[in-house]
Amino acid sequence: MADVPQNLKYTQEHEWIRVDNGVAVVGITQFASNQLGDVVFVDVPTVGKTVEAGDSFGTVESVKAVSELFAPVSGKVVEVNSELEVSPELVNEEPYGDGWIIKLQPSSPKDIDGLLSPAAYADLIKQEQEG
Amino acid sequence: MARRTPLNEAHRKLGARMVDFVGWDMPVQYSSIIEEHEAVRTAVGLFDVSHMGEVEFRGPGALETANRLISNDLAKCADGQAVYAGLLNEQGTFVDDVVAYRFSPEHIFVCVNSSNREKDFAWMSERAQGVKPVDRSDDFAQIAVQGPKAPGLVQRLTKADLSKVGTYRFTEGEVAGVKCIISRTGYTGEDGFELYCAPNDAEKLWNALLQEGQTDGVKPCGLGARDSLRTEMKYALYGNDIDDAHTALEAGLGWIVKLDKPGGFIGKEALEKQKAAGVKRKLVGFEVTGRGIPRHGYPILKNGQRVGEVTSGTMGPSVKKPIGIGYVPTELAAEGSTFDVEIRGQPVTAQVVKTPFWKKP
């Protein structure tokens, strides 16, 4: 069973989000990184770009497949994880830690409350595994 | 309901991630594609390739019949030798690519792609002048044992002297007590064997190879690693790099086309014409020098104009670069030529390189 930390919020598209001092850190879940397999490339927007909730803001690629990244909430990109350029495998190894992908300044921080709770996300991946 | 190979249960027990592959329930990976890929490059990997099809020609005239259907020349082979060949349409394009085995002039065995089994058999049956082909696909399972430690591993399990079985040669014998065709062929760029056995024996053979191979660092490998390994060699994949819309000459497979062989073959006239007129597009290998990974179907652009298409692409786990294969106009096919690959709407620079991408260090 994939790890679903209790201190995060989640999306249907398997991103997680955590707010640190008003800035939202975004990554993909361990379940998503397991499904994808060995991550070999991460493509992210440039700092300063604005993204809309639900829009594709980049891609994560494994040897075999390309997966879109979807913005959990609207906001401005304030930082990207440049470590992933040289070590994309961090997304597999530490999806909730050093494998984070971007940091967003949310345009409406309360939107984060509407995302999936850990329990709801755990249910979602259970359904996907059984499906 | 997807078809299953005799090793389906064995894959599940090993924790493989299964996917639908052209109607077959097949393992795409067990642990990690990169780990499996590396195991084949440095030690040994096992692949279940039982989904491949087999067609046999037996009786007087078998050699002549089969040889007219394939582009390469079995008449120049010795008994116990195999060749890579095209099954070509009248237009010189691919019905399939195959490996044809010459047991004797009266016994030819052809291994075909799983996705083309039915089509190939119907095609061969219609055009065979002489001996009628027999579809033996359900009589064989196939396990590929690939990697530098493959010869040692298989040798420990058989009395057959494998030092006498050179590349693209084969013999018959028991491996781990299982009757096999032992063929020194493969699709990874590494030394190794493809073992054909009865479906009921497949699990016994698979388990014996896994057990005996422990000291070699053997790994069961899925279709993911098979694809990355073959891409690094620029080995064509039917449906991606070769198909019925591109000729053997365009695919850079002139070496499997024997235009001067006595008796000719289907597609010969079209290829002679194309050769005389000049080939207008070619399948090349390229490296992406910008940021991004090329994938099947991505457009190839020159000065903003679409001039071709990526047929295969990946991040090569051994070459550690994004590599691709694709058709481009002949004037862009020379080593060093540059063009763009459109990756999700953005042009990214790529350069034609010498292939195979991967060479043993």
Side-chain angles (χ1 to χ4, degrees):
Chain A
M1 191 63 181
D3 189 20
V4 180
Q6 292 300 308
N7 59 331
L8 308 176
K9 288 285 210 173
Y10 299 88
T11 70
Q12 300 273 352
E13 284 82 27
H14 307 285
E15 282 91 19
W16 58 260
I17 186 165
R18 182 185 73 226
V19 181
D20 287 344
N21 301 324
V23 172
V25 188
V26 178
I28 67 166
T29 65
Q30 189 187 60
F31 175 78
S33 103
N34 287 348
Q35 290 292 308
L36 200 56
D38 303 305
V39 172
V40 291
F41 185 75
V42 182
D43 196 23
V44 291
T46 47
V47 170
K49 196 176 172 212
T50 38
V51 296
E52 292 291 317
D55 280 1
S56 163
F57 70 81
T59 52
V60 174
E61 301 199 35
S62 65
V63 181
K64 197 74 188 143
V66 187
S67 268
E68 301 268 338
L69 293 164
F70 298 98
V73 292
S74 302
K76 192 162 96 173
V77 179
V78 292
E79 193 179 342
V80 299
N81 187 353
S82 55
E83 278 297 302
L84 299 180
E85 255 187 61
V86 282
S87 305
E89 66 278 6
L90 287 171
V91 173
N92 293 117
E93 290 164 3
E94 297 182 53
Y96 302 116
D98 289 347
W100 65 275
I101 295 170
I102 59 166
K103 291 183 184 175
L104 284 175
Q105 183 69 58
S107 46
S108 173
K110 67 177 188 308
D111 289 350
I112 295 167
D113 300 337
L115 298 172
L116 298 177
S117 67
Y121 182 66
D123 278 348
L124 177 77
I125 60 179
K126 197 165 159 237
Q127 280 168 23
E128 290 203 6
Q129 275 170 330
E130 285 165 2
Chain B
M1 185 68 186
R3 292 199 241 188
R4 295 178 165 205
T5 75
L7 293 169
N8 194 277
E9 275 304 307
H11 300 317
R12 288 169 183 279
K13 273 185 217 153
L14 288 165
R17 182 179 303 166
M18 307 298 286
V19 294
D20 181 84
F21 177 75
V22 295
W24 289 79
D25 185 49
M26 297 296 286
V28 64
Q29 68 174 67
Y30 298 80
S31 52
S32 127
I33 293 177
I34 292 178
E35 276 177 36
E36 292 162 27
H37 182 111
E38 287 301 317
V40 173
R41 289 276 181 252
T42 60
V44 56
L46 297 188
F47 298 85
D48 176 14
V49 282
S50 302
H51 58 315
M52 303 291 277
E54 291 85 13
V55 177
E56 211 164 51
F57 296 82
R58 270 189 192 260
L63 172 65
E64 292 73 19
T65 304
N67 217 24
R68 164 107 190 119
L69 298 174
I70 66 168
S71 64
N72 212 326
D73 192 1
L74 277 171
K76 286 233 172 92
C77 292
D79 293 349
Q81 199 175 349
V83 289
Y84 177 59
L87 276 189
L88 303 181
N89 282 310
E90 283 73 8
Q91 300 76 33
T93 62
F94 285 90
V95 178
D96 201 1
D97 61 334
V98 302
V99 177
Y101 294 81
R102 175 172 159 160
F103 284 78
S104 75
E106 298 193 358
H107 182 194
I108 306 298
F109 178 89
V110 184
C111 180
V112 307
N113 278 301
S114 53
S115 54
N116 294 332
R117 276 167 69 160
E118 285 81 10
K119 179 184 77 173
D120 288 0
F121 183 66
W123 187 90
M124 287 194 261
S125 299
E126 271 168 33
R127 289 167 179 76
Q129 297 170 350
V131 175
K132 284 289 162 203
V134 177
D135 186 353
R136 297 288 313 277
S137 301
D138 293 335
D139 301 328
F140 289 98
Q142 192 186 340
I143 297 170
V145 192
Q146 301 281 298
K149 294 190 174 172
L153 167 57
V154 179
Q155 185 64 78
R156 295 201 299 277
L157 291 168
T158 184
K159 290 194 182 104
D161 181 359
L162 300 181
S163 69
K164 295 202 164 68
V165 184
T167 306
Y168 268 77
R169 305 270 169 167
F170 63 96
T171 188
E172 290 174 277
E174 285 193 354
V175 178
V178 169
K179 202 170 164 256
C180 291
I181 300 168
I182 306 168
S183 169
R184 199 160 201 150
T185 49
Y187 192 48
T188 61
E190 299 299 325
D191 198 354
F193 292 90
E194 292 177 305
L195 307 174
Y196 296 80
C197 69
N200 285 339
D201 291 335
E203 195 161 357
K204 181 182 173 189
L205 178 61
W206 177 264
N207 289 336
L209 288 160
L210 275 182
Q211 180 67 34
E212 178 63 34
Q214 275 182 15
T215 50
D216 303 302
V218 71
K219 268 191 192 296
C221 301
L223 294 175
R226 194 166 158 83
D227 194 54
S228 57
L229 288 157
R230 72 94 196 163
T231 302
E232 286 186 336
M233 296 307 294
K234 196 178 169 248
Y235 290 157
L237 172 63
Y238 191 88
N240 277 38
D241 313 298
I242 53 174
D243 54 27
D244 59 9
H246 296 90
T247 72
L249 299 179
E250 290 167 349
L253 291 172
W255 63 277
I256 65 167
V257 172
K258 302 293 188 262
L259 291 172
D260 57 352
K261 76 173 168 179
F265 62 92
I266 297 166
K268 175 185 158 167
E269 290 73 22
L271 293 175
E272 277 174 337
K273 256 190 212 162
Q274 188 179 41
K275 196 173 181 182
V279 177
K280 302 220 166 17
R281 57 183 176 184
K282 279 189 179 161
L283 189 66
V284 297
F286 60 85
E287 274 176 22
V288 167
T289 50
R291 269 177 60 78
I293 301 174
R295 304 281 183 181
H296 176 73
Y298 287 4
I300 291 176
L301 313 171
K302 186 70 185 180
N303 303 323
Q305 297 296 307
R306 186 182 180 127
V307 294
E309 193 170 276
V310 176
T311 55
S312 289
T314 190
M315 176 68 91
S318 300
V319 300
K320 297 187 175 20
K321 285 176 188 164
I323 54 172
I325 302 170
Y327 284 97
V328 297
T330 302
E331 59 269 24
L332 290 178
E335 203 184 318
S337 293
T338 58
F339 46 75
D340 294 324
V341 174
E342 189 184 319
I343 300 180
R344 291 178 294 280
Q346 296 299 316
V348 179
T349 311
Q351 181 169 45
V352 178
V353 295
K354 194 181 267 182
T355 53
F357 297 100
W358 169 249
K359 281 184 204 75
K360 281 174 213 176

